[in-house]
Amino acid sequence: MDVYEKITSLAKRRGFLYPSYEIYGGEAGFYDYGPLGILLKNRMEEVWREYYILKEKCYEIATPVITPYALLKASGHVDEFIDEIGTCTKCGLSVKVEELKDDRCPVCGGAVEKGSLNLMFETYIGAKKKEKAFLRPETAQGIFVNFPVLYEFFRKKMPFGVVQVGKGFRNEVSPRQGIIRLREFSMAEAELFFEPDNKTHPRFHEVKDETMHLVSDELDSEMAAGEALQKGIIGNEALAYYMVITKKFLERVGIDTAKLRFRQHKRDEMAHYANDCWDAELYSDRFGWVECVGIADRSAYDLTAHMTATGTDMRAFRKYDEPRKIKRTAILPKMDALGKTFRGKAKKIADELRKCKISGDTDTVTLNMDGETIELDATFFNVEEVEETLAGEKFVPHVIEPSYGIDRIFYFVLEHNYKEVEKENETYVLITLPPSLAPIKAGVFPLVNKDGLPDIAREIERELRDGGIMAIYDESGSIGRRYARMDEIGTPFCITVDYQTKDDDTVTVRFRDTTEQVRIERGKITEWIKKEMEK
RNA sequence: GCGGGCGUGAUGUAGUUUGGUAACAUGAAGCCCUGCCACGGCUUAUCCCCGGAUUCAAAUUCCGGCGCCCGCACCA
């Protein structure tokens, strides 16, 4: 058995992951999180929020999974997310339509059956009048379409960031590798809005010496963020900053950073919306390098797309440092003449007039209004050179997007922390999860099941839970077996009540990774564990 | 989607060649034992992926479906 198989079997046995709908034969690409699995996943998402919401000052929003056709048409997903595929009837090869040679199989020349694959799940809104819709392929779009109100919420100060943690859906052709490729998956995405020529981060200097393993066509080495930026390897400061944040986050949830690298996308593998992209890849003994986080510069792509499709102004306003004076040729309507001739229509005509493109020697203007053609000569306007003061300008913000695949990271947290050690000629399994991530923080055991020790242990379990610490009481089997059970699910501490406890109210606390023990006052355990978790 | 392999208690496996009462280990529950690292004792529960065919009889043979694994393709 390799690591993946061991983890899959442990995960099912101990309540981390179950294949979905198993009693109905199972459904490929779907997994259930079990009782312990969801505790761990929730902790990962909480830690993610600490990084992006607390520290980076983003705000989180929640938008629907079901997304109207028009939105995804505008974003490019309807067209770009479709794969036209030809399958050779002779040799069975499947290829993209553009790779066909004269509509025949490029390998054996056989006839080809064409089909198209849209990787989005389709659905309909409304029971009677059915409007076509899709399950969202990414949470990002829900943020983009809310840009105008969010911009207002942030009181028009750029840059700002909005995040969303939730489900995304992709109807994969053939999902495999368990939780690595799901059809319904959890993602945590941050959309950070910047002025196009100012993709910087105020705290970049704090992380500029942090190193990352960078891989691109020309490069494969450990390099400081600042250096990579200077050399133009990473396109801008914000991108580099969030790559460092990603590394810190992954390390915090228990990823082995020796098995982390950032790989730059080649031009042709970039998503339709991206113009620079670095993937955080994690190494698996089973699967090799796997993309788990994508950090993309989406430029103005999405906001522009939604602006074009809906006519909504998705621009932000930037004040110039100093107001700029601009000279231009302007047309100034003469309201007295217009009023006398056109009466009620005068104001509307004047507004139209101001929009006209003119030059210094324009003497007549023709307007088309409500199907009516109106000729105006110089008695109705003046043409003048005017000097205007512009306070600033409007622009479509650029977006830097770190996008995390929670389920994949979840798997890697397990794989990177899965340890086997030899213990008295037997393989002994433990998961060395960071204490703050562990689903169960403490096991509480009576050394023996008599003389009142179980009662004391039960009380301690209760005290811990009252203090906010997930603890489990266990009296079944030998003490060693109970330690082993806890080690296998990554519980960092085991508290044992022994006879000394009855004398002096102390207990032993045993560390998962070293099996060392310390003696601690019963009343202080809760605080002690909380402190340990901060380490 | 195509080709190959596989599907047996919660987990890992044997049994399928040669059709006839499904076994082992781990895990789990209960009781006992146990003065700190899975090693003890007794008891209990839990399995042949689903559907069809052949047969007196199918875990075993055949067909179809679903799922898992490998390869090809796909993975914005």
Side-chain angles (χ1 to χ4, degrees), chain A residues 56-69:
Chain A
E56 290 302 317
K57 302 184 181 179
C58 295
Y59 276 85
E60 179 174 358
I61 66 168
T63 70
V65 161
I66 293 175
T67 311
Y69 177 91

Side-chain angles (χ1 to χ4, degrees), chain A residues 200-214:
Chain A
T200 59
H201 194 287
R203 294 214 308 276
F204 183 73
H205 66 274
E206 291 173 23
V207 305
K208 68 180 197 313
D209 296 326
E210 301 274 351
T211 64
M212 295 179 283
H213 180 184
L214 300 179

Side-chain angles (χ1 to χ4, degrees), chain A residues 165-343:
Chain A
V165 180
K167 291 285 185 78
F169 305 81
R170 293 172 195 183
N171 205 353
E172 299 283 356
V173 179
S174 75
R176 273 176 201 171
Q177 308 163 337
I179 200 181
I180 300 283
R181 251 173 89 198
L182 294 173
R183 288 184 162 126
E184 173 173 343
F185 52 96
S186 289
M187 56 206 308
E189 296 190 300
E191 309 303 326
L192 306 148
F193 298 95
F194 288 89
E195 295 181 10
D197 50 8
N198 191 19
K199 295 174 189 169
T200 59
H201 194 287
R203 294 214 308 276
F204 183 73
H205 66 274
E206 291 173 23
V207 305
K208 68 180 197 313
D209 296 326
E210 301 274 351
T211 64
M212 295 179 283
H213 180 184
L214 300 179
V215 178
S216 74
D217 281 346
E218 305 86 33
L219 178 82
D220 187 349
S221 63
E222 194 77 16
M223 191 182 280
E227 187 189 350
L229 184 66
Q230 241 169 31
K231 290 183 173 166
I233 294 163
I234 300 173
N236 62 66
E237 193 179 290
L239 211 51
Y241 180 83
Y242 285 100
M243 286 165 70
V244 175
I245 292 296
T246 296
K247 181 177 178 180
K248 285 174 183 272
F249 164 76
L250 291 173
E251 189 165 19
R252 172 72 208 289
V253 296
I255 292 297
D256 177 359
T257 53
K259 296 177 177 174
L260 162 68
R261 70 179 191 188
F262 290 90
R263 195 177 61 82
Q264 186 170 38
H265 275 210
K266 295 177 183 128
R267 280 273 134 220
D268 61 350
E269 74 178 303
M270 218 109 65
H272 64 271
Y273 49 69
N275 80 30
D276 190 8
C277 186
W278 288 82
D279 279 346
E281 296 184 327
L282 298 177
Y283 186 76
S284 162
D285 288 335
R286 164 72 176 248
F287 302 115
W289 290 101
V290 177
E291 166 197 353
C292 291
V293 183
I295 305 163
D297 184 343
R298 297 178 75 136
S299 70
Y301 179 90
D302 301 276
L303 293 181
T304 305
H306 293 305
M307 184 157 72
T308 309
T310 63
T312 307
D313 191 355
M314 301 295 241
R315 294 175 298 171
F317 180 76
R318 159 172 53 192
K319 259 190 168 171
Y320 295 132
D321 293 339
E322 296 203 356
R324 291 181 196 174
K325 295 192 191 266
I326 289 177
K327 282 185 182 164
R328 66 177 186 99
T329 313
I331 191 162
L332 300 173
K334 290 182 185 169
M335 288 312 290
D336 53 345
L338 284 169
K340 279 176 194 160
T341 311
F342 296 102
R343 305 276 159 184

Side-chain angles (χ1 to χ4, degrees), chain A residues 137-150:
Chain A
E138 54 175 2
T139 66
Q141 296 303 329
I143 297 174
F144 297 140
V145 297
N146 276 314
F147 177 79
V149 279
L150 292 168

Side-chain angles (χ1 to χ4, degrees), chain A residues 409-426:
Chain A
I409 298 170
F410 180 96
Y411 171 77
F412 278 95
V413 167
L414 292 182
E415 188 183 314
H416 288 185
N417 288 289
Y418 181 90
K419 307 272 161 63
E420 283 180 349
V421 294
E422 276 295 310
K423 217 168 179 178
E424 293 172 30
N425 294 326
E426 265 191 289

Side-chain angles (χ1 to χ4, degrees), chain A residues 445 447 453 456 496-502 506-508 519:
Chain A
F445 318 138
L447 184 59
L453 300 188
I456 300 172
T496 303
V497 172
D498 56 21
Y499 285 100
Q500 195 183 328
T501 309
K502 293 174 80 171
T506 61
V507 293
T508 64
R519 235 183 146 88

